[in-house]
Amino acid sequence: MVADLNEKNTLLKSEKDEMNRLIQDQEQQIREIPESTQQESTEHLQAHLNEERFRYQNLLTEHLKLEERYADLRSEREAALDLSKLGHNRFDSDYSSSQSESIHSSVLTGSEVSSLEREDAVQTASDVSLLMKLQRRVTELEKENMDLQSEMDTKEEQLQLERTKELEDCQRVLGAERDYEALKRQELDSDNKKLKKDLQDLRQSLSKGKGSKVASPGGQAYNVVLEQLNSTNEELEVRKEEVLILRSQLVNQEAFKHKETGSEGDSGDSSRSPTLDLRELNEDGELWMAYESLKETNRILASQLQTQGQSHEKEVEGLRAELQRIKAELGQQQQMMSDSLELPHDARIQASLQHEISRLTQQNMEILEQTGKQDKMIRKLKKHLKIYMKKFGDPEGVHIEQSSPENVVGESGRQVSIVRKERDFQGMLEYRKEDENKLFKILITELKPRGVAVNLIPGLPAYILFMCLRHADYANDDQRVSSLLNSSINAIKSVLKKRGEFETISFWLANTCRFLHCLKQYSGEEGYTKHNTPRQNEHCLSNFDLSEYCQVLSDLGIQIYQQLIRVIENIIHPMIAPAMLEQETIQGVMGVKPTGMRKRTSSFPEDRGHSLESILKQLDVFYYTLLQHGNDTELVRRVIKQQFYLICCVTLNNLLLRKDMCSWSKGLQIRYNVCQLEEWLLDKDLHGSGARESLEPLIQAAQLLQIKKKSQDDADAICTMCTALTTQQIVKILSLYTPVNEFEERVSISFIKSVQNLLKDRKESSQLLMDAKIIFSVTFPFNPSSVALETIQLPSSLNLSFLTRV
C-alpha cells in the first residue's frame, strides 16, 4: 500500500509539473502574440462599432424622413377634410342628386371601380405634387419675407438715427434762438426805460413852463400834447410786439431753411403786408440786429462743425496709424510665410511657433501696460471718492455704501463697517405654469443667433432650460419635467424647420449638446459627477432619472448635425470644382492647353469668381461661427473633416470625368491647392482631426498625374503609392492622361494592362466615383462645464423677468 501510494504521489507530482509547464507555455505564447495582431483586432472591433453607429444614424435619418412625410400627409388629410366640409356646406341642396349618384356608383362593375380607383390615385398624386410645389413656394416666400423684414429693420434703424440727428440739430438751433431772443428782450427793455425817462422829462419840462398858457397843466394844448404822447407810446408798444414776431419768424425761416412754422401772433398781425413790415423793420434798425443774430448763430454752428471736423480728423489719423500697424504686421507675416516655405517641415513649425510666441508676448505686454494704467486710475478715483465722502458725508448718521462695505464714521465718532449679506442661490429658476409657452417663445422660437444671442455666454439657453428643469425636479413635479423636456425638443425642431440657415443650426447644435451634457453632469452617476466640484454635486437631480431623455437629446443632436452638414454642402459644393481645378493658382504653369484639346469653358459659368481663397474664407466662417456658438472641440473637428471629405470627393469625381483635367500641370496645381488646405489645418491646429487623411485619395491622384508612367518599375511604384485609390480610378486616370506638350507621351495600353495585372488581387469596391453624400457617424463625448449655475445672470435683453432665481 505504501508503495502504491508513493507511486500515485509521484504520478500526481509529474502531472502537476506537466500542468504548470503547459500554463507557462500558454503565458509565454500570449506574451509572444504580436502587438500588430492585437491592434488589428482592436481596429476590427472599432470598425464594426463605427459601422453599427453609421447604420443606426442612417436609420435615424430614415425615421426623421418618415416623420416629416407623416406630418405632410396629416396636413394634406386635414386640408382635404376642410375642403370636403366646405363642399358639403356649399352643395347641401344637391343631396338628392349626390345620393342617387352614390347609389348608381354602388352597382358599378369591378373594372369600373378599379378604373375609378386609378383615376383617384392619379388625382391624389397630382394633388400631392401640387401641394409640395406650393409648400416650396411658401418656404421661398417666407425666406424672402424674412430678408425684407431684416432690410426694413436696418432702414428703420438708419431713419431713427437720422431723426435723432435732426432733432439734436433743431434743439441746438432753438437754443441759439432762445439766447438771441433773451438778448433782444434785454435791449428792448433798456430802450423802453429810456423812452419812459424821456417822456417823464418832457412832462416835467411842460409842467415847469412859466408865463405860457399853452404849457399850463389842464390847458387844451397841454391835454392835446399829452394825448399825442400817450398814443405814440401805445403805438410804440404795438410796434415792439410786431418787431418781436417778425424777428422770430425771420430767425425760424433762416434756421429751418424755409420750413413752415406755427403762427405766433393774432390774425391781425399775420395779415399785415410783408413789404410794409420789412420797411418798418428797416426804419427801426431791427433787420440789422436780426442779421447780426443770424451771423452769431452761423458762427456757433461753424465752430461746432470745426470741432467735429477736428475730432473726425483725429479718428482718421488713428485709423491710419492702425492701418499702418496692420500692414506692417501683414508684411512681417508674409515675410515669415515666404521664409517658412523654404524651410523643412519641422523648421517651419518651429518658426511659426516662435513667431506666435513673440506675438503673444508683445500682446501680453500691451495688456499689462493697460492694466497698470487702469489700476492707477482706479486708485486715483478711490482717493477722490474718499475725499468726497468725508466732505459731503452726514456727520449725524452713518453713511451706508451699498456696493461694497466701507468704513464710515458714526455718531459716536468710531468707525463702523456695514456688510451686505449675499443671498445664497441654488442655481434654479422658477416660473409659473402659464408662462411656459412664453418661455419657449422667447428662449427658442424668437431667439436669433445674429441678434441678442451674440452677446450671451455660450450655451446660455441650455443653462436656463436646465435650471428650470432643476426647479421642477426640486418640486417633484413630474408633469412639469416631462412638459419642459418635450416642449423644448419640439420647439427646437420647429425652429430648425422654419429657419434652416447655418448660423441657426450651429447655435442650436451647441445648445442641444450643452443641454445633454448638463443632464449627464448633474444626473448623480459616479462616472459623470467625478468631474464636478463639491458645489456642483449639490446641484444634482434628486427625484427623477432622465437617462432616457439623454438618448432622445442625443438623437436630436445627430439630426441637427446631419442638417448642418447638408447646409454646408449646399454652400461649399459649387465652389469646389472651379477653385480646385479650373482656377489658375500657379501663374505660368497652366498657360499651355493639353495637346489636341479645344479651349473649354468653365463647367460652372456662374462660379468663375470662386477661388481657393474664397474656399478658405468660407472655411474660416464655418470654423469661427461653430466656436463662437460654443460647440465642442471634437464636434468642430468632425465638421471640418466632413468638409474636407466633400472637397476630396467633388474634386476627384470631376477629375475622373474630364479629360482636359488629367495632365501633369493639373496634378501640380491640385498638389499646390492641397498644400494650402493643409496649411489652413495647421494654422487652426486641426491636424489630428482626420481631415488631412480624408484628402489622401486626391493627393495620390495628383501624384499619379506627376509620376513617370513608362517602365515596369513605374508600375510597381504606382501600385505601392496609390493605396487610397481603387483599381478603376487608377486605370481611369491613366487612360484619360493627356500630355501638355510634344515632349510628353500618352500612357501606353501595355503599361495600363500591367498596372491592372498588378492590382487584380485587391479586395475593394468596384465603384468608380466617390460617394459625396456620405455623412460620417458622429458622437457627443461627455464634456462637463465649469460654469457654476448659481452665478448665471439673466440678461435684461432677453425679457425673462417672469423667471425667478431660487
Short mmCIF file of all heavy atoms in Angstrom, two decimals, residues 49 290 297 313 363 392 395 417 432 438 443 449 470 501 559 573 585 607 614 623 663 720 727 775:
data_model
loop_
_atom_site.label_atom_id
_atom_site.label_comp_id
_atom_site.label_asym_id
_atom_site.label_seq_id
_atom_site.Cartn_x
_atom_site.Cartn_y
_atom_site.Cartn_z
N LEU A 49 -17.88 48.75 -34.73
CA LEU A 49 -18.66 49.71 -33.95
C LEU A 49 -19.05 50.93 -34.80
O LEU A 49 -20.21 51.39 -34.75
CB LEU A 49 -17.84 50.16 -32.73
CG LEU A 49 -18.49 51.22 -31.83
CD1 LEU A 49 -19.78 50.70 -31.22
CD2 LEU A 49 -17.52 51.64 -30.72
N ALA A 290 -31.31 141.40 -36.51
CA ALA A 290 -31.60 140.00 -36.85
C ALA A 290 -30.47 139.40 -37.68
O ALA A 290 -30.08 138.25 -37.50
CB ALA A 290 -32.91 139.92 -37.63
N THR A 297 -25.39 132.94 -34.88
CA THR A 297 -25.81 131.54 -34.93
C THR A 297 -24.96 130.74 -35.91
O THR A 297 -24.52 129.62 -35.62
CB THR A 297 -27.30 131.45 -35.35
OG1 THR A 297 -28.08 132.24 -34.45
CG2 THR A 297 -27.78 130.01 -35.32
N GLU A 313 -10.89 114.17 -37.94
CA GLU A 313 -9.51 114.06 -38.40
C GLU A 313 -8.66 113.23 -37.44
O GLU A 313 -7.82 112.43 -37.86
CB GLU A 313 -8.92 115.46 -38.56
CG GLU A 313 -9.48 116.23 -39.76
CD GLU A 313 -8.88 117.62 -39.87
OE1 GLU A 313 -8.07 117.97 -38.99
OE2 GLU A 313 -9.20 118.35 -40.83
N GLN A 363 1.64 91.11 -27.14
CA GLN A 363 0.25 91.40 -26.78
C GLN A 363 0.07 91.40 -25.26
O GLN A 363 -0.64 92.25 -24.70
CB GLN A 363 -0.67 90.36 -27.42
CG GLN A 363 -2.15 90.65 -27.26
CD GLN A 363 -3.00 89.63 -27.99
OE1 GLN A 363 -2.47 88.73 -28.62
NE2 GLN A 363 -4.30 89.79 -27.91
N PHE A 392 -18.82 115.47 1.97
CA PHE A 392 -20.26 115.55 1.87
C PHE A 392 -20.98 114.53 2.74
O PHE A 392 -22.19 114.38 2.62
CB PHE A 392 -20.71 115.34 0.42
CG PHE A 392 -20.18 116.39 -0.52
CD1 PHE A 392 -19.13 116.09 -1.38
CD2 PHE A 392 -20.70 117.66 -0.52
CE1 PHE A 392 -18.63 117.05 -2.24
CE2 PHE A 392 -20.19 118.62 -1.38
CZ PHE A 392 -19.15 118.32 -2.23
N PRO A 395 -22.70 114.02 9.10
CA PRO A 395 -21.98 113.85 10.36
C PRO A 395 -22.87 113.32 11.48
O PRO A 395 -22.36 112.89 12.50
CB PRO A 395 -21.51 115.28 10.69
CG PRO A 395 -22.50 116.16 10.01
CD PRO A 395 -22.92 115.44 8.77
N SER A 417 -18.42 99.27 10.21
CA SER A 417 -18.41 98.58 8.93
C SER A 417 -19.73 97.85 8.74
O SER A 417 -20.10 97.03 9.58
CB SER A 417 -17.25 97.59 8.86
OG SER A 417 -17.27 96.90 7.64
N ARG A 432 -44.09 80.30 -13.51
CA ARG A 432 -45.47 79.84 -13.39
C ARG A 432 -45.84 78.96 -14.58
O ARG A 432 -45.25 79.07 -15.64
CB ARG A 432 -46.42 81.03 -13.30
CG ARG A 432 -46.22 81.89 -12.05
CD ARG A 432 -47.13 83.10 -12.08
NE ARG A 432 -46.83 83.95 -13.24
CZ ARG A 432 -47.52 85.04 -13.53
NH1 ARG A 432 -48.53 85.42 -12.78
NH2 ARG A 432 -47.18 85.76 -14.59
N LYS A 438 -44.56 81.15 -23.03
CA LYS A 438 -43.82 82.40 -23.18
C LYS A 438 -42.32 82.15 -23.08
O LYS A 438 -41.52 82.75 -23.81
CB LYS A 438 -44.28 83.39 -22.12
CG LYS A 438 -43.69 84.78 -22.26
CD LYS A 438 -44.25 85.70 -21.20
CE LYS A 438 -43.65 87.09 -21.31
NZ LYS A 438 -44.18 87.98 -20.23
N LEU A 443 -37.11 82.12 -25.54
CA LEU A 443 -35.79 81.49 -25.42
C LEU A 443 -35.43 80.64 -26.64
O LEU A 443 -34.24 80.42 -26.90
CB LEU A 443 -35.76 80.62 -24.17
CG LEU A 443 -34.38 80.25 -23.61
CD1 LEU A 443 -33.61 81.49 -23.24
CD2 LEU A 443 -34.53 79.33 -22.41
N PRO A 449 -29.58 83.99 -33.49
CA PRO A 449 -28.14 83.95 -33.21
C PRO A 449 -27.40 85.22 -33.60
O PRO A 449 -26.41 85.58 -32.99
CB PRO A 449 -27.66 82.75 -34.03
CG PRO A 449 -28.88 81.93 -34.25
CD PRO A 449 -30.02 82.88 -34.34
N ARG A 470 -34.26 71.88 -13.11
CA ARG A 470 -33.84 71.58 -11.74
C ARG A 470 -34.90 71.99 -10.72
O ARG A 470 -35.14 71.28 -9.75
CB ARG A 470 -32.53 72.31 -11.42
CG ARG A 470 -31.29 71.63 -11.97
CD ARG A 470 -30.05 72.09 -11.25
NE ARG A 470 -30.11 71.75 -9.85
CZ ARG A 470 -30.00 72.61 -8.85
NH1 ARG A 470 -29.82 73.89 -9.10
NH2 ARG A 470 -30.07 72.22 -7.60
N GLU A 501 -30.91 78.21 -41.78
CA GLU A 501 -29.61 78.73 -42.19
C GLU A 501 -28.52 78.21 -41.26
O GLU A 501 -28.79 77.67 -40.19
CB GLU A 501 -29.63 80.26 -42.20
CG GLU A 501 -29.89 80.90 -40.86
CD GLU A 501 -31.34 81.15 -40.59
OE1 GLU A 501 -32.18 80.62 -41.33
OE2 GLU A 501 -31.65 81.85 -39.60
N GLN A 559 -29.57 64.50 -35.57
CA GLN A 559 -30.38 65.09 -36.65
C GLN A 559 -29.92 66.51 -36.98
O GLN A 559 -29.81 66.89 -38.16
CB GLN A 559 -31.85 65.10 -36.23
CG GLN A 559 -32.46 63.72 -36.04
CD GLN A 559 -33.87 63.77 -35.53
OE1 GLN A 559 -34.48 64.83 -35.47
NE2 GLN A 559 -34.41 62.63 -35.13
N HIS A 573 -20.36 73.31 -52.07
CA HIS A 573 -20.25 72.41 -53.23
C HIS A 573 -20.02 73.16 -54.54
O HIS A 573 -19.15 72.76 -55.34
CB HIS A 573 -21.51 71.54 -53.31
CG HIS A 573 -21.40 70.43 -54.30
ND1 HIS A 573 -21.54 70.61 -55.66
CD2 HIS A 573 -21.15 69.09 -54.14
CE1 HIS A 573 -21.39 69.46 -56.29
NE2 HIS A 573 -21.15 68.52 -55.40
N THR A 585 -3.98 78.80 -59.98
CA THR A 585 -3.36 79.28 -58.76
C THR A 585 -1.85 79.44 -58.88
O THR A 585 -1.25 80.20 -58.12
CB THR A 585 -3.67 78.31 -57.61
OG1 THR A 585 -3.30 76.98 -58.01
CG2 THR A 585 -5.15 78.33 -57.27
N ASP A 607 -19.89 80.49 -61.48
CA ASP A 607 -18.99 80.43 -60.34
C ASP A 607 -17.54 80.65 -60.76
O ASP A 607 -16.62 80.12 -60.15
CB ASP A 607 -19.10 79.07 -59.63
CG ASP A 607 -20.49 78.84 -59.07
OD1 ASP A 607 -21.07 79.82 -58.60
OD2 ASP A 607 -20.97 77.70 -59.12
N SER A 614 -11.46 81.95 -51.68
CA SER A 614 -12.86 82.02 -51.25
C SER A 614 -13.25 80.78 -50.45
O SER A 614 -14.02 80.87 -49.48
CB SER A 614 -13.77 82.16 -52.47
OG SER A 614 -13.64 81.05 -53.33
N TYR A 623 -15.70 77.71 -39.26
CA TYR A 623 -14.91 77.34 -38.07
C TYR A 623 -15.17 78.30 -36.92
O TYR A 623 -15.47 77.88 -35.78
CB TYR A 623 -13.43 77.32 -38.45
CG TYR A 623 -12.49 77.01 -37.31
CD1 TYR A 623 -12.40 75.74 -36.77
CD2 TYR A 623 -11.69 78.02 -36.76
CE1 TYR A 623 -11.54 75.46 -35.72
CE2 TYR A 623 -10.83 77.75 -35.72
CZ TYR A 623 -10.76 76.47 -35.20
OH TYR A 623 -9.91 76.21 -34.15
N SER A 663 -3.71 65.99 -66.56
CA SER A 663 -2.42 66.35 -67.14
C SER A 663 -1.43 66.60 -66.03
O SER A 663 -1.79 66.69 -64.85
CB SER A 663 -2.56 67.59 -68.03
OG SER A 663 -3.00 68.70 -67.26
N THR A 720 2.26 50.65 -55.35
CA THR A 720 2.65 50.85 -53.95
C THR A 720 2.16 52.19 -53.40
O THR A 720 1.78 52.29 -52.23
CB THR A 720 4.18 50.78 -53.82
OG1 THR A 720 4.64 49.55 -54.39
CG2 THR A 720 4.61 50.88 -52.37
N THR A 727 -8.79 50.35 -58.12
CA THR A 727 -8.18 49.96 -59.39
C THR A 727 -8.84 50.69 -60.55
O THR A 727 -8.16 51.17 -61.48
CB THR A 727 -8.31 48.44 -59.57
OG1 THR A 727 -7.69 47.78 -58.46
CG2 THR A 727 -7.63 48.00 -60.86
N ILE A 775 -22.31 60.82 -44.88
CA ILE A 775 -22.10 61.64 -43.68
C ILE A 775 -21.53 60.72 -42.60
O ILE A 775 -22.15 59.72 -42.22
CB ILE A 775 -23.42 62.27 -43.20
CG1 ILE A 775 -23.98 63.21 -44.27
CG2 ILE A 775 -23.20 63.04 -41.90
CD1 ILE A 775 -25.30 63.86 -43.89
#
